[in-house]
Structure formats: structure tokens, C-alpha cells
Amino acid sequence: MTETATKIAVQKLIQVRNLVKYFPVDNSDDVVKAVDDISFDIGAGETLGLVGESGCGKSTVGRCMLRLHEPTSGEVIFEGQDIVNLHNRDLQKLRREMQIIFQDPYASLNPRLSVLSIVGEALKIHGIGTKADRKDRVAELLRKVGLDPKYMSRYPHEFSGGQRQRIGIARALALNPKLIIADEPVSALDVSVQAQVVNLLQDLQQEFGLTFLFISHGLAVVEHISNRVAVMYLGKIVEIADSKALYEKPLHPYTQALLSAIPIPDPKVKRDRIVLEGDVPTPINPPSGCRFRTRCPKAEGICSEVEPELREIEEGHYSACILDENYENAKTVG
């Protein structure tokens, strides 16, 4: 772990402990095990990247942390306070500290409201400032995200995708939060615009001291913005490490397969691709033992019998694979 990452780890802003979220299936006793007993920390001023295939539970984790989804069980401790047990009034106060940027910048903006109303809505709900004060604040926020304040009277359909996402970012910043959940904030944008938005988020983080949970399936983007990276598979975290360590030496077979799929911007260089066979199993009835074993090229018989814990294989580098030679002697996460 780097010196910076070590300092970040000491100053924990939010701690997620044994988080579980099950969704009931209509007309059935079955449940979708979207998030199934995961734990991790995010340090103040850190960006933790959360990656994995579609449907692995990444977005559900972020929404549970903000209680947009009510967790089935577990703890989400923000600055020493477990938000899972907060009642409405206390939770509303805490929402000023925790905000979200949604994936689709068009669907997340009310088409009937102007930019002034969209960005200033949170200020009005929390009773912050006069009408003139709120207008000035919106103008300031639009400048911060690279938009002209004269656009505040316009509506979402009058902007490009990148501009709409900037409006979403301005809305998330309105209450001066400490934590922002960025739920695939660039996946719906063109590649050139993605880079602009990621650079904007990094600039804002430096200026305001923000902490990010950056959710994405784009591994190249996550590498660029994250201090540490957590990899999810079928409701479980299978690896957490410093960003540089994870990309240079992935320990879990699933992470190794994901990284092998990243294109190299040089036609003369070929990467040894690890092709995973089969489809992702259903989260209603996940495989016994290791959930990745049905697609893992290294799986052995014991993988179906033992459910691996997330353990610290190397300093600051956690993995959940019982076949790792250092697994038995490693300590568990948390």
C-alpha cells in the first residue's frame, strides 16, 4: 500500500459492515441476493472504485449506502454514526453530507424543471438561503462544472449528454457534501466526453476535499480516477487493493480475467486474453462455495465446498480465493 493510501485508510469517512440487500421475487418465496454480506471502508478524500459485470450488485451497494434502498441487514457507519438505524428527520440532516450522481444524465433530471430549479431544489428543501441566494449559488455551481450561468433558465432537453451530466454533478455539489456516490457517471457518454467529466470530478475532489465511491464497469476509467479498487462478482467483493497494485498484480482469477479484456492502444502488442465460459449465474440461486467457480479456469473440487472469505493476502491487498497459496495464513477484512 502506498504512503497516501495508508494515510487515507486511517481516516475512515464511511465503513460498510456485513451489508446485505435481498429483493423479493413476485409470487415466490425466492429472493434476489443482490448484495450478500460485504464489508469495506472509504477514507476521507479517497476515491474507491467499485467494478464488476452488469448485475453484480454495484449500484445496489451505492444506493444502500444512501438508503435509497433499505438494506436487508448490516451497518453503514458514516463518521461514527450508523445511518441504517436513523429515522427520517436525522436521515434528512445526514443527506446533506452524502449525495449521488446517477448513470443516465437525462433520466435523472426532471424534464419539467429548469436548471435553476433542478440544481437549487436541495437548497430549497433544506431551507438554505433566500431565493436570490439560491440563484447565486446555482450560478456559482454551474461555473464550477464548466457551464455558463445564463443557461440556468433552460431545460434538460436543450443540453448535450455531457452538459446534462455536468448539471447532475452541480446538483450533487449543491449542499457541500463530504461523500458522493458516482454511479457509472460516464458510461452513457462518448469517450471524449468521458475524459472531460472524469477530469472535472478529480478537479472538484481536489478543490472541495470530496470522497467518492466511483461505480463503473469501465476498468480503464476506474484505474485513472481511483486510489483503491474493489471488484464485485455476483453480490460479493472478491478483491480490494491499491489501484496500482491491483492493475499490476491482480490476485483473484476473476480480476485477472477482467483486466485481460482491457484493450491495449497498440496494434502490435497482444494481451493474453482470459475468456470466461458460460453466463453469470442467477443471484436467486448462486453456486455453492465460491460463486465464481462455475466460470473460473482454475477451479478445483474444494471450491464448491468452501465459501472463501476476503483475506489480506499481501499488505493492503485483499482477495477471496482459497486456492491462493497465502490464503490460509491471511487475516480477514475489517
Side-chain angles (χ1 to χ4, degrees), residues 137 141 145 168-177 180 204 208 210:
R137 174 64 173 160
L141 289 167
V145 299
I169 294 170
R171 177 176 59 182
L173 291 173
L175 296 173
N176 290 317
I180 292 181
L204 293 170
F208 296 108
L210 298 170

Side-chain angles (χ1 to χ4, degrees), residues 52-326:
E53 294 171 285
S54 296
C56 71
K58 306 185 300 295
S59 295
T60 303
V61 170
R63 290 168 186 254
C64 285
M65 289 171 64
L66 299 179
R67 278 188 58 186
L68 299 179
H69 291 323
E70 290 293 338
T72 302
S73 63
E75 297 177 320
V76 180
I77 302 169
F78 183 83
E79 294 190 320
Q81 189 173 27
D82 185 4
I83 72 169
V84 173
N85 297 318
L86 290 182
H87 298 294
N88 291 340
R89 183 173 297 178
D90 292 331
L91 182 61
Q92 184 178 10
K93 291 179 181 177
L94 193 63
R95 289 200 188 282
R96 295 179 61 166
E97 309 287 349
M98 308 168 71
Q99 293 291 313
I100 186 169
I101 301 169
F102 293 97
Q103 177 179 359
D104 188 338
Y106 189 72
S108 64
L109 303 179
N110 190 330
R112 297 177 180 272
L113 296 182
S114 67
V115 172
L116 174 61
S117 297
I118 290 170
V119 178
E121 185 176 22
L123 299 170
K124 185 176 181 181
I125 290 173
H126 288 270
I128 298 174
T130 63
K131 186 176 181 179
D133 292 335
R134 292 194 289 269
K135 186 174 182 180
D136 290 342
R137 174 64 173 160
V138 171
E140 177 189 0
L141 289 167
L142 291 179
R143 282 191 288 266
K144 290 290 184 184
V145 299
L147 294 175
D148 194 319
K150 69 182 181 182
Y151 295 155
M152 70 172 66
S153 61
R154 296 186 181 182
Y155 291 81
H157 71 272
E158 300 180 80
F159 296 91
S160 67
Q163 289 174 322
R164 285 195 290 264
Q165 194 59 291
R166 289 173 186 267
I167 295 168
I169 294 170
R171 177 176 59 182
L173 291 173
L175 296 173
N176 290 317
K178 295 179 180 177
L179 173 70
I180 292 181
I181 308 293
D183 186 8
E184 304 217 34
V186 298
S187 63
L189 306 177
D190 292 339
V191 174
S192 59
V193 180
Q194 287 183 11
Q196 295 172 17
V197 172
V198 168
N199 290 336
L200 171 63
L201 292 174
Q202 290 181 308
D203 292 342
L204 293 170
Q205 181 179 36
Q206 188 172 18
E207 181 175 354
F208 296 108
L210 298 170
T211 301
F212 283 109
L213 176 66
F214 192 92
I215 299 169
S216 179
H217 61 263
L219 290 166
V221 174
V222 169
E223 180 183 17
H224 180 66
I225 197 172
S226 301
N227 300 101
R228 290 186 301 131
V229 178
V231 181
M232 279 193 75
Y233 182 81
L234 205 63
K236 292 278 191 180
I237 290 181
V238 298
E239 188 165 0
I240 302 178
D242 177 83
S243 179
K244 183 178 180 181
L246 184 133
Y247 280 82
E248 290 183 354
K249 187 184 176 183
L251 299 179
H252 196 279
Y254 178 59
T255 310
Q256 293 168 1
L258 289 181
L259 294 179
S260 75
I262 299 177
I264 298 176
D266 186 343
K268 297 180 180 179
V269 178
K270 292 186 178 181
R271 191 191 296 273
D272 293 330
R273 177 75 188 274
I274 301 173
V275 179
L276 299 178
E277 298 182 359
D279 297 323
V280 179
T282 172
I284 297 175
N285 185 27
S288 62
C290 175
R291 297 188 175 190
F292 182 58
R293 65 175 176 81
T294 58
R295 303 173 70 201
C296 180
K298 301 179 181 179
E300 298 180 4
I302 193 174
C303 298
S304 65
E305 302 170 6
V306 179
E307 183 173 349
E309 298 176 300
L310 194 62
R311 296 190 177 184
E312 189 174 24
I313 307 301
E314 299 177 358
E315 185 180 1
H317 197 148
Y318 295 83
S319 179
C321 178
I322 61 174
L323 300 181
D324 191 292
E325 59 183 9
N326 297 314

Side-chain angles (χ1 to χ4, degrees), residues 34-52:
V35 179
D36 201 3
D37 192 14
I38 69 169
S39 300
F40 61 89
D41 302 329
I42 308 178
E46 178 186 24
T47 297
L48 176 67
L50 185 59
V51 302

